[in-house]
Amino acid sequence: QVQLVESGGGVVQPGRSLTLSCAASGFAFSSYGMHWVRQAPGKGPEWVAAVWYDGSDKYYADSVQGRFTVSRDNSKNTLSVQMISLRAEDTAVYYCARSVGSAFDIWGQGTMVTVSS
Amino acid sequence: EIVLTQSPGTLSLSPGERASLSCRASQSVTSTYLAWYQQKPGQAPRLLIYGASSRATGVPDRFSGSGSGTDFTLTINRLEPEDFAVYYCQHYSSPIFTFGPGTKVDIK
């Protein structure tokens, strides 16, 4: 079935780095734009980053621009985000999500990132 | 940057009642790019409505979306026990995706 599975979350100190991954299955991964969306505890979702179906274009929210780098490997059906200079305000559940048009139709179960000393 | 405002913050209703949730944009937006999601505790958001009024695959027909310009509405007819959740609207304005703060529908 169509599935997205995130991994790589954990507890990290402020200023350190972390890389999250998302494994896709059950659909033609290389045909879809893919995104990272995060949700801080008790808050609404916040779009973080996007990469177009072929990796040619990447976009970021202002809050992570210059610190997060999104990438994809269509040969391995994987999406990644490298996060550097992490801050307490980056603490959230991070979801990978597939977009169809302008909406997110498939979401992973999420992986928790906690930035704390 | 477009800001989405949702009201009310919390809606307390009984099963069987109708819920009407509002999403207002800070400026006129294209209906094509307006979506609604449902989120239950511990779960990822689930797409309900896209293009302001089109139901996503598998979404019951008691859910409907409407609106244009700056004002959009998600209506849930005859609330079922599984409908008590938080609902978010979302808009796309290239290349940015924006979510509203959410409306919680809880049991009265």
Side-chain angles (χ1 to χ4, degrees), chain B residues 1 11-12 15 22 28 30 46 49 51 67 70 80 86 94:
Chain B
E1 178 185 335
L11 193 55
S12 296
S22 173
S28 184
T30 305
R46 170 198 178 195
I49 301 289
T70 60
E80 297 285 344
V86 181
S94 182

Side-chain angles (χ1 to χ4, degrees), chain A residues 66-85:
Chain A
R67 300 188 300 122
F68 287 17
T69 302
V70 63
S71 62
R72 65 188 297 160
D73 185 337
N74 285 346
S75 69
K76 297 181 179 179
N77 291 349
T78 59
L79 174 73
S80 298
V81 61
Q82 180 184 30
M83 307 182 292
I84 67 171
S85 303

Side-chain angles (χ1 to χ4, degrees), chain A residues 5-88:
Chain A
V5 179
E6 302 92 339
S7 60
V11 179
V12 60
Q13 293 179 329
R16 303 299 290 265
S17 302
L18 197 65
T19 296
L20 306 181
S21 297
C22 171
S25 59
F27 66 99
F29 180 74
S30 62
S31 297
Y32 291 88
M34 295 297 299
H35 305 256
W36 289 98
V37 179
R38 69 184 180 185
Q39 189 168 27
K43 303 294 185 181
E46 177 192 15
W47 171 79
V48 171
V51 56
W52 254 221
Y53 69 99
D54 59 356
S56 59
D57 289 305
K58 301 175 183 181
Y59 301 100
Y60 301 92
D62 287 346
S63 58
V64 306
Q65 180 76 48
R67 300 188 300 122
F68 287 17
T69 302
V70 63
S71 62
R72 65 188 297 160
D73 185 337
N74 285 346
S75 69
K76 297 181 179 179
N77 291 349
T78 59
L79 174 73
S80 298
V81 61
Q82 180 184 30
M83 307 182 292
I84 67 171
S85 303
L86 283 162
R87 307 166 180 167

Side-chain angles (χ1 to χ4, degrees), chain B:
Chain B
E1 178 185 335
I2 293 171
V3 176
L4 300 177
T5 303
Q6 292 187 245
S7 61
T10 301
L11 193 55
S12 296
L13 295 168
S14 300
E17 292 192 295
R18 171 186 290 183
S20 184
L21 286 64
S22 173
C23 175
R24 179 163 290 177
S26 56
Q27 58 187 276
S28 184
V29 300
T30 305
S31 300
T32 304
Y33 300 145
L34 196 287
W36 289 92
Y37 300 82
Q38 175 194 67
Q39 188 176 33
K40 298 178 181 179
Q43 297 184 16
R46 170 198 178 195
L47 178 65
L48 295 177
I49 301 289
Y50 63 94
S53 61
S54 298
R55 275 187 299 276
T57 302
V59 175
D61 61 7
R62 64 180 180 273
F63 291 90
S64 63
S66 62
S68 64
T70 60
D71 292 306
F72 298 87
T73 300
L74 175 69
T75 301
I76 313 171
N77 286 311
R78 302 179 308 278
L79 280 163
E80 297 285 344
E82 61 267 29
D83 299 336
F84 292 92
V86 181
Y87 293 84
Y88 297 98
C89 58
Q90 172 252 312
H91 179 259
Y92 170 65
S93 179
S94 182
I96 304 299
F97 296 79
T98 305
F99 288 89
T103 290
K104 182 178 183 180
V105 179
D106 66 13
I107 299 177
K108 188 174 183 179

